[in-house]
Amino acid sequence: RRVLFRSTIFTEELVSPEIANKIAEEAHVKTEVLYTLEGLNEDLIDKEDYISLMKKNFEKIGKSNSWLV
């Protein structure tokens, strides 16, 4: 039985991902962007609210850092 751990570096949508991408490349992991309240734009305001975006963040974090058996 082999257990693997997937790792992810998380960034915010309003922050340049350049440094996170470089670290992820060196560490052989992926990056994911998380929503922030400050990042709500016109497209998201019509479709999402703060709670729904935080639920999406929670799902991203759970999927990205889960144990595989």
Side-chain angles (χ1 to χ4, degrees), residues 6-61:
R6 293 187 289 182
S7 292
T8 304
I9 296 175
F10 295 97
T11 63
E12 295 181 8
E13 57 192 339
L14 297 178
V15 177
S16 172
E18 186 177 333
I19 293 172
N21 288 339
K22 182 63 177 168
I23 294 169
E25 180 183 319
E26 294 289 324
H28 305 288
V29 298
K30 65 180 184 170
T31 61
E32 283 286 346
V33 178
L34 297 178
Y35 295 105
T36 61
L37 183 59
E38 296 84 6
L40 285 175
N41 59 36
E42 295 297 322
D43 295 331
L44 288 175
I45 288 174
D46 293 337
K47 301 173 189 171
E48 305 283 353
D49 62 14
Y50 181 74
I51 300 298
S52 66
L53 292 176
M54 293 306 105
K55 286 180 180 177
K56 287 183 178 186
N57 285 347
F58 183 77
E59 290 173 7
K60 281 185 181 181
I61 293 167

